[in-house]
Amino acid sequence: MPPHNRLLARRAGIDTYQQSVVYMRSDCAVCRAEGFQSQAQVEVIGNGRHLFAILHQVNSDWLRNDEIALSEAAWNLMGATEGEELMVRHPPILDSLAHLRNKVHGGSLAYAALRALMEDVSHGRLPDIHLASFVTVCAGRGLDLGETVALTRAMVDVGERIDWGASPVMDKHCIGGLPGNRTTPLVVAIVASCGVVMPKTSSRAITSAAGTADVMEMLAPVDLDLAAMRRVVEREGGCVVWGSAMRVSPADDMLIRVERPLGIDSEGLMVASILSKKAAMGSQRVLIDIPVGPLAKVRSDAASSQLSRSLVSVGAAMGMQVQTVFTDGSQPVGRGVGPALEAMDVMAVLERRADAPQDLRERALLLAGLVLEMAGKAAAGAGQAMAREALDGGRALARFIAICEAQGGLRVPPKAAHTHCVTAPANGVVSAIDTRLVARMAKLAGAPRDPAAGATLHVRVQDSVRLGQPLFTLHAESLGELQYAMSFVRSQLPIVGIEPAP
């Protein structure tokens, strides 16, 4: 038997997403000696590594008294092996919690306080209940400009920061909230083909039907480390990779994990999240797309203007030039919603196919043109023409293929095994497309877990339709998921609104 505070490692095989969880028998020597209870935070030490995890107690024979089982997230972070001896003890007292309590009671957070908090956040020392408290108090009491700048700087300083040794280094970001708005791979291909450096890190989906990294993964590997990413950028001038594969603003990843389930959108946290990643990536000039619409994240002109001011001000404080552009957020972009379907849209635009979604093409050209102007590659007002020439002349496609090959090889997106087409119930004109319901039905069909799943839209707002004309098609890997998504569609108000023609 191991000593009283040591147990033998066992892989539980339980997916707890990004939260580290460990499982111990309630009657084991460690729990009894240390006085551990369920939901307590514990520190696990082994092979020179320290892990902070939440304890769940077990009253079942599947776990022995001398074992500690680790969730998948905990197992991967520890790099443990079956039967390895691990030490388990109470974690140290965190001084940073005093700063959190100060904010709860109406105080403000200076850089030193936020640096201490983000240091503990990035190393997984704060339990989710404290992370949720931080997110909630920042949303409820808000962060002023000084606090937002300090938080952004603290999030950068506790992670890696990249220096590309070049100038200007360009970047773009979309606030999000629109299904199918997959402009990033197109913008990177166009801008890099014009000789401008644009290393792009993107995220996977958390609550949406697809993230940019999910879509790009249908076309090339995205799980690159920093050294591999640097080689791609040095060779091709750009990349589209998964940001969480590198330790860039790691505190942001931890905060997002608890922020999304809470459903809280805080301007200060949003600005710090976006710009900490850009600063850490060595970006110098950043274009931020803010879709504005009744169901988008940003719903009014006043809200978009306020967010724009914050982004520009905090960016300047971090030494970055930030420019914003307001775009139409009233309906989905492109046709596909889901990783493989959106990847097909991207390739259709790059290949200049006649059936390529024109709204996605024009939005990408607008954004790429603005990036080229910010980079000084094109004169003011001439960027979109330069972008169009790069796309129509085939240079953007050639560069995109080269980027995919450098990242590990160009792939062909998969197709779903089952589809179902929903048709118009009457003649008329499309009056609205509910973006949230579109995203929801694509997720219920299996996206992004099943990469080929999702939805294809066949109409846009103001299109004339006839009885029986296709409105959208659901794609699923199993008949059960297809039927589940269809039952949701039938239970909702019309996802595609149709009004009588005038």
Side-chain angles (χ1 to χ4, degrees), residues 10 97 138 205 228 244 258 261 290 306 339 364 377 424 439 447 449 456 469 489 499:
R10 177 173 169 183
L97 290 179
C138 288
S244 293
V258 299
I290 305 178
Q306 173 58 40
K377 193 71 176 180
R449 181 186 64 257
T456 302
Q469 181 176 332
V489 169
E499 294 183 354

Side-chain angles (χ1 to χ4, degrees), residues 74-340:
W75 186 266
N76 292 331
L77 286 171
M78 278 299 293
T81 57
E82 290 282 351
E84 177 185 348
E85 193 174 84
L86 300 177
M87 178 187 295
V88 189
R89 68 185 185 187
H90 285 283
I93 296 174
L94 299 179
D95 295 335
S96 64
L97 290 179
H99 305 310
L100 175 55
R101 287 191 289 271
N102 176 54
K103 181 65 176 176
V104 170
H105 291 296
S108 61
L109 294 169
Y111 170 78
L114 287 163
R115 172 64 188 266
L117 275 165
M118 292 304 103
E119 194 76 50
D120 286 337
V121 169
S122 66
H123 287 91
R125 293 192 281 259
L126 256 65
D128 279 8
I129 190 169
H130 290 121
L131 289 175
S133 298
F134 178 76
V135 168
T136 303
V137 74
C138 288
R141 293 192 176 276
L143 297 173
D144 61 28
L145 181 60
E147 288 176 308
T148 304
V149 171
L151 176 59
T152 306
R153 184 165 286 122
M155 291 168 75
V156 173
D157 290 347
V158 300
E160 302 287 343
R161 188 162 188 169
I162 301 171
D163 182 356
W164 294 100
S167 184
V169 177
M170 307 303 296
D171 207 336
K172 62 85 63 176
H173 181 84
C174 179
I175 296 301
L178 278 188
N181 191 19
R182 207 55 57 205
T183 56
T184 290
L186 297 168
V187 172
V188 169
I190 293 168
V191 169
S193 75
C194 293
V196 176
V197 176
M198 192 170 180
K200 184 73 180 77
T201 59
S202 298
S203 60
R204 295 187 184 277
I206 296 178
T207 59
S208 65
T212 296
D214 300 311
V215 174
M216 187 65 184
E217 193 170 40
M218 299 295 97
L219 300 168
V222 296
D223 193 4
L224 277 63
D225 60 21
L226 182 55
M229 176 186 176
R230 188 179 290 276
R231 287 194 295 271
V232 174
V233 175
E234 288 175 350
R235 176 173 153 184
E236 302 299 341
C239 67
V240 183
V241 300
W242 181 38
S244 293
M246 294 161 281
R247 189 174 167 81
V248 175
S249 192
D252 181 48
D253 294 330
M254 302 293 285
L255 291 174
I256 286 174
R257 181 170 58 81
V258 299
E259 194 175 359
R260 295 296 175 83
L262 288 172
I264 294 175
D265 279 328
S266 162
E267 182 181 294
L269 287 176
M270 180 192 295
V271 171
S273 172
I274 295 168
L275 296 184
S276 66
K277 285 278 178 68
K278 303 308 178 190
M281 278 301 302
S283 303
Q284 298 163 350
R285 303 176 193 177
V286 184
L287 176 69
I288 299 183
D289 174 14
I290 305 178
V292 183
L295 295 177
K297 284 187 179 180
V298 182
R299 302 184 182 182
S300 69
D301 291 342
S304 62
S305 296
Q306 173 58 40
L307 178 59
S308 175
R309 287 192 292 270
S310 296
L311 287 163
V312 171
S313 298
V314 175
M318 295 298 296
M320 293 182 291
Q321 177 191 342
V322 175
Q323 180 179 326
T324 62
V325 56
F326 304 139
T327 55
D328 178 18
S330 64
Q331 63 179 317
V333 180
R335 285 192 300 265
V337 182

Side-chain angles (χ1 to χ4, degrees), residues 394-415:
R395 296 204 319 272
L397 173 62
R399 183 55 56 94
F400 184 77
I401 293 172
I403 289 172
C404 290
E405 294 294 347
Q407 289 187 198
L410 183 65
R411 298 167 170 172
V412 176
K415 293 183 179 181

Side-chain angles (χ1 to χ4, degrees), residues 369-388:
L370 291 172
V371 171
L372 291 170
E373 292 173 20
M374 288 181 70
K377 193 71 176 180
Q384 196 164 344
M386 179 180 287
R388 194 177 302 276

